[in-house]
Structures are given as C-alpha cells and as structure tokens.
C-alpha cells in the first residue's frame, strides 16, 4: 500500500475534494517549505496521485518543496520521471526542490533518470529542511 501526503498547514486534517492528495496534511516547517511524504511503492499505479500531490505542493510553496522518500520501498522509473518534471515546474516557479532518498536503491533510480543533477538529494530530512 502506498500513501502520499502533502504537508502545508499546522493542524492535521483529512484530505478533501479540493486537495487532490490522499492522507493527512499538516505543516511542520512553515509556509515557505512544503513537504510531500511518499510511503510504500511508488510505481505506475500511484503516478496520478504523486503528480497531483507534487503539483499541489509546487503551486503553494513559497521557497521549496521537499520530497520525503525515506519510507519509499520502491521507486519506479515513471514515478522518478514525475519527480524530474517537478524539477522543471519548481525551477520555472522560482522555488527549490529538495529530496530525501532514504535508501541506496531509491537514490540510484533518481540518478538513472537524472533527478538530483539540478535538485538537491539529501541524506536526512533535517538537512533537506535546513537547506
């Protein structure tokens, strides 16, 4: 099972029709950075949800989007391609994209598709949030 959550507010609330992501949304770092948590397998079956969550975050972030892949057990090439497209979207909007890979297999997929050549891939959430 895969869960995707966008974290833009200070209180927890369930997803609503106007928030296209599943899971809980809450802000732990303020309005300038929005965190997208991806848990489980990020394969072709969740690409739509992932794309919507990343688009939602990119439209609302003022400084950066942080993609938390620490609990991602599998990252498919197509999901990584969605992350690559998010790099372009963020750059066009003048915001940064940071990622926390969490494991070597996930990091390797990011390398293969070229994600991280323009964005920062961090070894910890602390480093990503403070960058």
């Amino acid at each position: 099972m895969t869960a995707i959550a966008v974290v833009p507010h200070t209180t927890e609330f369930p997803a609503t029709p106007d928030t296209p992501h599943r899971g809980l949304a809450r802000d732990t770092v303020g309005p300038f950075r929005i965190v997208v948590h991806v848990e489980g397998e990020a394969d072709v079956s969740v690409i739509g949800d992932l794309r919507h969550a990343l688009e939602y975050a990119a439209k609302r972030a003022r400084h950066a989007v942080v993609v938390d892949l620490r609990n991602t057990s599998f990252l498919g090439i197509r999901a990584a391609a969605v992350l690559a497209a998010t790099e372009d979207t963020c750059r066009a909007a003048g915001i940064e994209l940071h990622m926390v890979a969490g494991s070597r297999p996930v990091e390797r997929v990011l390398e293969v598709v070229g994600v991280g050549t323009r964005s920062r891939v961090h070894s910890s959430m602390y480093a990503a949030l403070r960058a």
Side-chain angles (χ1 to χ4, degrees):
M1 179 171 182
T2 302
I4 299 171
V6 179
V7 185
H9 299 286
T10 56
T11 56
E12 292 189 4
F13 59 94
T16 62
D18 61 319
T19 56
H21 57 286
R22 296 182 295 179
L24 295 179
R26 66 181 195 278
D27 185 317
T28 56
V29 294
F32 297 103
R33 299 185 197 289
I34 295 181
V35 180
V36 178
H37 298 277
V38 182
E39 298 181 5
E41 296 182 355
D43 57 17
V44 71
S45 68
V46 299
I47 287 176
D49 289 336
L50 179 61
R51 182 178 293 113
H52 288 300
L54 292 169
E55 288 172 357
Y56 178 86
K59 287 177 185 174
R60 285 155 182 81
R62 294 183 188 165
H63 177 69
V65 173
V66 178
V67 182
D68 179 6
L69 300 168
R70 292 175 299 166
N71 293 315
T72 303
S73 57
F74 173 79
L75 181 64
I77 294 294
R78 288 188 178 175
V82 170
L83 290 169
T86 301
E87 281 185 311
D88 297 334
T89 301
C90 287
R91 189 178 329 101
I95 60 175
E96 299 175 1
L97 178 65
H98 298 271
M99 288 174 261
V100 183
S103 71
R104 182 64 187 137
V106 168
E107 190 175 303
R108 180 67 182 131
V109 172
L110 295 174
E111 291 171 0
V112 167
V113 297
V115 176
T117 56
R118 296 168 289 181
S119 300
R120 298 182 187 168
V121 179
H122 301 275
S123 59
S124 72
M125 182 59 87
Y126 180 81
L129 293 174
R130 302 301 171 229

